[in-house]
Amino acid sequence: MQVTLLGTGDTTGTPTPGCDCDTCAAAEERGIERSRFSVHVRNERTDECLLVDLSPDFRHQFLHRDVALPDEAIVTHVHFDHLDGLGNAYRLFDDLPVHAASERDPATDESVADTIRSKYDYLDRVTVHDRAPFEPFETCGFEVRLVPVDHPPLVCYGLAIENPESGAKLALTGDTSYAVPEESRDVLADADLLLADAIVPAHLCDHHPLGGDHHDSSGVPRTFGTKHMTREGALSLADELNADETRLVHLSHFYPAEEAFEEPLAVDGERYRL
């Protein structure tokens, strides 16, 4: 299993357009980019490629990273920075199977799969497959499970992707607060590589209108506001999940420049073989 981090940034990416902050300037100087979130997973046994989330930066990512176009895709939730790259399917694919959760979202009255169908009804080259949370399904020679996480007000899902031949396992938390349900934690546990949402360091919770939540025993917030984990929360979850290696993703440009490129914060283009 070859894992390439195509996009490791949040909704605006780093550098952020029009921003002159020290972190964006440092990223420019170093030639580092964190585009909107997307992960490419190649099955080296079958030479098939699976794409997790379709970033609005799809074209840029596939032009600048040495990866093949996906054979199939998975969408974790319907926020634009994880979905709107699907429009790139036009003229690039004869058929692109897209897997998404079948569970109805009370906030939208439709599932993630249904939202994709309705939003991209003009894309006759996309075939949407409904997948029940926790139920394993096969794609690109992998066994995959979608698991509910906590990203209010919309439903959102993490992922476990396993190679049944080698036993290699990739886990993604999806966009989530620290309040990942126990059943989902069980599925995500013991991964060779964990990609964990970590939008800001915990000390920046002081600047959020809602502050932080899910504090640890020392009072450090593991959730920034209500929707995303802090760096400290993501590392705490990784420890609980017993991940062999953890990379922090969905990172904002609000990390102070002196912290923004420290380990284990990921940048675009990183590649791992599991």
Side-chain angles (χ1 to χ4, degrees):
M1 183 189 300
Q2 186 183 78
V3 180
T4 303
L5 309 187
L6 296 180
T8 56
D10 70 340
T11 187
T12 66
T14 302
T16 292
C19 181
D20 61 359
C21 76
D22 290 345
T23 298
C24 288
E28 291 272 17
E29 291 168 3
R30 300 182 187 203
I32 288 172
E33 187 168 15
R34 289 178 174 141
S35 59
R36 273 76 67 87
F37 183 79
S38 189
V39 178
H40 186 278
V41 189
R42 177 171 171 259
N43 188 328
E44 295 171 298
R45 177 176 56 86
T46 66
D47 200 29
E48 295 174 286
C49 298
L50 176 65
L51 186 64
V52 179
D53 285 342
L54 293 108
S55 168
D57 298 312
F58 182 105
R59 180 179 179 276
H60 176 81
Q61 291 169 349
F62 279 89
L63 284 174
H64 291 88
R65 304 300 170 195
D66 183 21
V67 293
L69 287 171
D71 296 288
E72 304 194 31
I74 299 173
V75 174
T76 61
H77 66 298
V78 298
H79 279 150
F80 90 98
D81 53 324
H82 296 258
L83 174 60
D84 280 11
L86 187 56
N88 289 272
Y90 186 64
R91 293 183 179 170
L92 293 184
F93 302 96
D94 293 326
D95 178 56
L96 179 66
V98 176
H99 306 272
S102 59
E103 182 179 37
R104 185 183 71 85
D105 187 341
T108 64
D109 202 35
E110 60 184 13
S111 67
V112 174
D114 287 337
T115 298
I116 297 169
R117 285 192 190 91
S118 62
K119 183 170 183 176
Y120 291 98
D121 60 344
Y122 65 92
L123 285 178
D124 56 4
R125 302 169 193 227
V126 170
T127 305
V128 182
H129 297 270
D130 297 70
R131 300 300 182 185
F134 296 110
E135 291 297 321
F137 62 93
E138 189 276 333
T139 176
C140 296
F142 298 123
E143 182 179 280
V144 179
R145 282 183 283 180
L146 286 158
V147 297
V149 291
D150 181 59
H151 189 54
L154 299 179
V155 294
C156 185
Y157 302 87
L159 284 172
I161 301 173
E162 298 187 59
N163 185 331
E165 297 290 323
S166 67
K169 180 176 178 179
L170 169 67
L172 302 91
T173 66
D175 284 15
T176 185
S177 79
Y178 181 74
V180 177
E182 285 301 323
E183 187 177 0
S184 298
R185 291 176 184 233
D186 290 343
V187 174
L188 298 173
D190 300 318
D192 297 288
L193 176 63
L194 173 68
L195 304 179
D197 171 19
I199 196 163
V200 294
H203 61 80
L204 292 188
C205 289
D206 292 343
H207 302 286
H208 194 287
L210 299 177
D213 200 358
H214 307 116
H215 298 77
D216 66 17
S217 59
S218 299
V220 176
R222 292 178 286 196
T223 294
F224 178 68
T226 62
K227 295 184 179 184
H228 295 275
M229 287 188 287
T230 61
R231 173 184 58 196
E232 290 77 1
L235 292 174
S236 179
L237 181 67
D239 186 58
E240 293 176 27
L241 295 181
N242 193 36
D244 284 350
E245 183 169 8
T246 299
R247 302 302 289 168
L248 303 186
V249 295
H250 208 277
L251 305 166
S252 78
H253 70 126
F254 295 115
Y255 273 87
E258 63 272 16
E259 302 176 36
F261 309 107
E262 295 181 344
E263 293 294 318
L265 277 63
V267 297
D268 289 8
E270 293 181 10
R271 183 167 289 173
Y272 300 88
R273 181 167 279 107
L274 310 184

